[in-house]
Amino acid sequence: MLRWGIRLALALFALVLLLVFGLFYLSEGWPGEFHARGQIVDRPIPTERVEARAYRVDAARRALGEPPDRSASQILFGDLHVHTTYSADAFVFSLPLLQGEGAHPPADACDFARFCAELDFFSLNDHAENLTAAQWAETKESIRECNAVAGDAENPDLVAFLGWEWTQGVPPRDRSRENPFYGHKNVVFLDTDESRVPARPIGAGRAQLFSTESLPPLAWSLLRAGMALGDWPSGLAPYHDFNRYARHQSDLVECPKGVAVRDLPEDCLEGAETPAELFAKLDDWGFPSLVIPHGVTWGIHAPAEADWSPQLAPAMHDPRRQRLLEVYSGHGAGELWREQRDVVPGPDGVPRCAEPRDGYEPCCWRAGEIIRDRCGDVPQEVCQARVETARRRFLDAGSGLRAQRVIPGTEPEDWLECGQLAGGFLPALDYRPGMSAQFGLAVRTETGAADPALRFGLIASSDNHKARAGAGYKELERKSFSDAYGLRQDWAERLDASAPPGPEALDPATLPAAAGLADPGTERNASYYYTGGLVAVHAAGRDRHAIWDALEARQVYGTSGPRILLWFDLLDDAETHPMGSEVTTARVPRFRVRAAGAFEQRPGCPDDTTARLPAERLASLCRNECYHPGEERIPVERIEVVRIRPQREPDEPLTDLIEDPWRSFACSRRGEGCVVEFEDADFDGSRETLYYVRALQVATPAVNGDPMRCERDAEGRCVRARLCPASGPDFDPTDDCLTPIQQRAWSSPIWLLPPATAESGRPTRGHSG
């Protein structure tokens, strides 16, 4: 018996060892491979095809009444916000459990920009918080290889810029005035030579995805092993690769604080917890760079009370680098300010849920209404107590998916349009108006501060996480050309830990630590992902420096994807001032807007593209649909003018200062475009005033054009939502969820400064430097 007992113990010990080995074999990705940068197709776009882009702009300019002028600036289109699967979130979304397409390395971004989208320029902006030294080296080399294919440096077919994304990752419930929300910022560099770029990307600290603060190490290992086992035995390779990457990334050592950037180890993880630290480190390197805030109204990251005020504190804004703001991306528009509130002070000083107002319903309020619908026959006072408890517990849980989990057994449709910008154009999910472009342009925090206002040029880009730069040229392929992710059905069933519907809200203290993380591609989120926008520049040439000069000068505008042509100028006797200018004047201003709609698109791809890009790559990367302009332009229907008078005092009400639209002009429905001139007869020359314009095309179908696809009552309120599925039994991969919308372009503002401002030492004419 003793002998058999020893043998059994040894067998059990061996089994335990085998299980432990298997756990680490899977979770550590031992058989996994590092994803190299990929191979760029070494065949540039023909010169005559590139030159045709400029001829089209010239033809539009002539149609709008301007004489031909080959010395005039060109309009070039690009994307300054592109992720590859070197970004940790993009890597996760590429996995089979999320119906992912697999790896999209840096070479894919170059080929997509050149052949599929036919852009003039783009940048790579993977999340710095997870970029390893090897990935950063591969990124730099891929950008150089992309530029090497482009031909003549003075007239390239494509300009590739190097960059990264600085991504603040503090959970919303942990943010406060002492620990404020600063948002996400893309950092883009002029140069690509090794001696002219940082040795390491600079993030906002270790990302939460690989932090032991989100999951304990053993739980994180079990999760990674479980992902691999979930697709056993057919699909292990992608998980091996991811787990190898996750293991290597979690082993990175954070750079020491207070050390000059050139004295830090090359392979440490460099972080800057605030914008001030980021700007200081960029100053230490001394290389030309731009820092572009983006996605700031997206409630997945920003708390409900977030606004721009903390970034007006000393050193938190660098006007030399923060010249631009991304007003639209594939994650939604962030232009509009509305006086909507999620919380208000209660009688005891504790924040309580705000009531619906002007078409806006806070999600905390909606939580109470869901519980109210479940009250059944209970007494009214009992029901109302449950409703109030639900609202309070929702707020206590923070925001987003975690907060929604306090209401057991809900479906995404149950939340209707709560938290969303009522009537907004392709809005960001769970909209935060205090972080909008209009709020930032209008707000001031201190009277007499040296530089009291944010003066952003307005751009758009894609924020695509599949290396598809500028994917908004056609409204199709929702799951490939947007970031609409969803769990595969079998994985959705495995990870569904939601409680059954119940009559009362759950105590958020009882929710698991990872509540809200189980489904990163929820249907509600997926309905607010779009194909993305573009940045347009009025540049003196096609080369890198000409594009950079236009970006720094704010002679830029954004579009929601189509290549709309837009000019916006201040006219005076001496000269014409383009969008992005700061001009000192006390005279009544007169402006001119010229706009032409984008070309209608032919199906498929141009012959030049099919001749250069292998058929397999054309299908997998471009989905056999490329930028392929026809001969007719989509008419511009309307020009809208927004007037903003920035605050003179911090407590001046914004409702009186942001006028949107201030003026609106109907255009003839002709494809030749639209020309509008107007003046501001009520101009107050004693205060700063800014103007920008929107050019709206006639309505055309767009992916997720109506995110919630609501049925509405007579007052326009959403009473039933029909989200566009990204997974589950109702998911149809051929349904792009198209709804007609008015695609548009946003100009950069023109600022008119009173003479007293000029005396303070600021630039007074043209763009500020």
Side-chain angles (χ1 to χ4, degrees), residues 361-424:
E361 182 183 37
C363 283
C364 54
W365 189 270
R366 183 68 198 145
E369 296 308 295
I370 294 173
I371 291 297
R372 188 188 303 279
D373 291 339
R374 298 177 181 178
C375 280
D377 297 329
V378 303
Q380 183 177 355
E381 60 273 16
V382 175
C383 179
Q384 186 61 31
R386 291 178 180 178
V387 169
E388 295 296 335
T389 298
R391 292 170 183 161
R392 185 178 66 254
R393 288 182 170 178
F394 185 98
L395 292 176
D396 290 344
S399 64
L401 288 172
R402 180 178 177 83
Q404 291 179 20
R405 292 288 189 259
V406 304
I407 309 300
T410 60
E411 298 294 334
E413 290 86 353
D414 295 335
W415 297 90
L416 301 180
E417 281 189 312
C418 77
Q420 313 311 324
L421 181 69

Side-chain angles (χ1 to χ4, degrees), residues 599-670:
F599 282 109
E600 295 178 351
Q601 291 292 304
R602 299 184 175 106
C605 297
D607 292 341
D608 289 329
T609 301
T610 58
R612 283 165 170 75
L613 206 59
E616 182 279 329
R617 193 151 178 77
L618 194 71
S620 64
L621 191 59
C622 308
R623 297 303 190 192
N624 290 319
E625 291 289 350
C626 307
Y627 179 71
H628 194 6
E631 298 299 325
E632 299 295 325
R633 289 188 179 272
I634 300 169
V636 173
E637 183 176 88
R638 189 167 72 256
I639 301 294
E640 295 179 342
V641 185
V642 178
R643 183 174 74 171
I644 298 176
R645 292 168 293 169
Q647 290 175 321
R648 282 172 162 166
E649 304 290 339
D651 58 354
E652 195 173 5
L654 293 183
T655 306
D656 302 329
L657 304 179
I658 300 173
E659 299 169 278
D660 180 12
W662 171 64
R663 301 282 298 274
S664 182
F665 302 92
C667 301
S668 64
R669 297 173 65 89
R670 296 178 301 142

Side-chain angles (χ1 to χ4, degrees), residues 59-398:
R61 185 185 281 114
R62 290 194 299 271
L64 294 170
E66 290 293 309
D69 183 2
R70 294 301 296 162
S71 66
S73 63
Q74 303 183 42
I75 294 182
L76 307 179
F77 292 94
D79 187 346
L80 294 178
H81 192 173
V82 184
H83 292 271
T84 75
T85 44
Y86 280 2
S87 286
D89 55 348
F91 203 154
V92 171
F93 297 146
S94 76
L95 296 174
L97 69 92
L98 283 162
Q99 308 174 73
E101 298 180 356
H104 280 296
D108 282 11
C110 176
D111 284 349
F112 191 91
R114 173 172 281 125
F115 296 110
C116 309
E118 283 202 31
L119 296 181
D120 299 302
F121 61 96
F122 80 100
S123 67
L124 287 183
N125 307 94
D126 283 312
H127 296 291
E129 293 73 20
N130 296 120
L131 272 181
T132 66
Q135 288 175 322
W136 181 236
E138 290 286 282
T139 299
K140 291 185 288 186
E141 193 57 33
S142 186
I143 288 291
R144 293 169 191 141
E145 291 172 349
C146 187
N147 287 317
V149 175
D152 181 6
E154 296 299 315
N155 191 38
D157 73 334
L158 178 68
V159 174
F161 290 98
L162 179 67
W164 66 70
E165 179 177 329
W166 182 89
T167 311
Q168 189 188 38
V170 181
R173 61 184 177 276
D174 294 337
R175 296 187 185 120
S176 63
R177 286 297 174 186
E178 292 71 37
N179 189 20
F181 174 74
Y182 295 114
H184 300 181
K185 302 175 188 289
N186 286 327
V187 182
V188 182
F189 293 89
L190 168 62
D191 301 305
T192 62
D193 293 341
E194 191 66 31
S195 62
R196 298 285 295 165
V197 296
R200 297 159 305 282
I202 304 166
R206 185 180 295 277
Q208 193 179 11
L209 180 61
F210 299 110
S211 171
T212 56
E213 295 177 7
S214 57
L215 283 176
L218 179 58
W220 180 225
S221 294
L222 289 171
L223 176 62
R224 298 201 317 251
M227 289 195 307
L229 284 172
D231 277 356
W232 177 279
S234 60
L236 284 178
Y239 301 101
H240 286 322
D241 295 347
F242 174 76
N243 290 343
R244 178 187 187 276
Y245 159 69
R247 169 170 54 87
H248 179 61
Q249 206 286 332
S250 61
D251 288 340
L252 291 176
V253 176
E254 296 185 36
C255 297
K257 301 286 187 181
V259 179
V261 293
R262 287 177 172 80
D263 296 333
L264 291 170
E266 282 200 11
D267 59 351
C268 65
L269 193 65
E270 188 168 3
E273 295 182 1
T274 67
E277 292 180 38
L278 174 64
F279 298 140
K281 285 178 175 290
L282 293 173
D283 283 341
D284 199 357
W285 281 112
F287 304 136
S289 62
L290 291 169
V291 177
I292 307 172
H294 70 269
V296 287
T297 58
W298 202 22
I300 285 180
H301 302 290
E305 69 279 4
D307 64 41
W308 281 101
S309 300
Q311 300 191 56
L312 286 169
M316 292 299 175
H317 171 53
D318 182 349
R320 299 168 303 154
R321 289 193 173 89
Q322 280 199 155
R323 310 283 296 160
L324 309 171
L325 172 66
E326 185 182 284
V327 73
Y328 175 78
S329 78
H331 295 180
E335 175 197 7
L336 304 180
W337 178 78
R338 294 289 185 269
E339 194 172 12
Q340 61 187 46
R341 293 178 180 271
D342 287 85
V343 296
V344 294
D348 54 358
V350 177
R352 62 179 177 85
C353 186
E355 296 184 11
R357 173 184 174 186
D358 298 332
Y360 177 74
E361 182 183 37
C363 283
C364 54
W365 189 270
R366 183 68 198 145
E369 296 308 295
I370 294 173
I371 291 297
R372 188 188 303 279
D373 291 339
R374 298 177 181 178
C375 280
D377 297 329
V378 303
Q380 183 177 355
E381 60 273 16
V382 175
C383 179
Q384 186 61 31
R386 291 178 180 178
V387 169
E388 295 296 335
T389 298
R391 292 170 183 161
R392 185 178 66 254
R393 288 182 170 178
F394 185 98
L395 292 176
D396 290 344

Side-chain angles (χ1 to χ4, degrees), residues 557-568:
Y557 63 94
T559 88
S560 54
R563 291 173 207 197
I564 299 168
L565 303 180
L566 180 62
W567 294 263
F568 175 44

